[in-house]
Amino acid sequence: MTLIEIFTDYVVNKKSLVEYVELRKTLNQRGEFNDETLILAQNNLDRLGRENKKILDEMYAILFKIVKLDRGHCVEYPLDFIKEILKLYKNSVEPKDILRDYKEILNHKYSGA
């Protein structure tokens, strides 16, 4: 498996990004995000799950729908998801706003246009 395939597996299957960081170290390969960023993303996922599980579940539902539609941008799906997760808890951005923005991906980025 390539590194992006492993990363995709971890993100889509809700596996720990902290564990992914450790696995990636054994592969001696660089990924899109550095270790600290991935650990922050996992912390944000954990916090969102504790504070607003409904929004977390909706975020994953959107990701699953994007993956299922698979319009040729499969490398970007988990990367974009993590980028949205990293926006959480910064500059007083509300999770509902992140969810709203992430939903727009279905209408634009992966619409095949």
Side-chain angles (χ1 to χ4, degrees):
M1 288 181 89
T2 66
L3 189 59
I4 191 62
E5 290 171 330
I6 295 168
F7 179 70
T8 298
D9 176 58
Y10 270 77
V11 172
V12 172
N13 292 305
K14 303 179 185 179
K15 296 178 182 178
S16 168
L17 295 176
V18 174
E19 291 176 13
Y20 168 75
V21 166
E22 293 305 314
L23 173 66
R24 184 173 71 180
K25 288 177 185 176
T26 67
L27 301 175
N28 199 23
Q29 295 182 33
R30 294 180 51 135
E32 177 73 20
F33 302 103
N34 65 37
D35 295 353
E36 293 79 23
T37 301
L38 288 169
I39 292 168
L40 174 61
Q42 185 62 55
N43 290 339
N44 285 357
L45 286 165
D46 293 343
R47 180 176 171 185
L48 185 60
R50 286 189 309 272
E51 295 178 1
N52 201 326
K53 184 157 175 23
K54 182 179 177 187
I55 287 180
L56 178 62
D57 290 345
E58 288 182 54
M59 295 278 297
Y60 272 112
I62 293 166
L63 174 63
F64 297 150
K65 188 171 186 176
I66 291 168
V67 169
K68 186 176 179 179
L69 290 173
D70 192 5
R71 301 226 172 114
H73 306 280
C74 59
V75 170
E76 295 178 27
Y77 306 150
L79 298 173
D80 288 342
F81 179 80
I82 295 302
K83 287 175 185 174
E84 293 301 317
I85 294 301
L86 288 167
K87 293 177 187 175
L88 289 167
Y89 313 114
K90 282 180 137 180
N91 303 321
S92 302
V93 176
E94 294 289 324
K96 64 183 168 107
D97 297 330
I98 300 296
L99 175 62
R100 181 196 65 230
D101 293 345
Y102 189 54
K103 281 182 185 178
E104 287 299 312
I105 288 177
L106 291 171
N107 297 326
H108 300 291
K109 192 166 191 175
Y110 303 116
S111 64

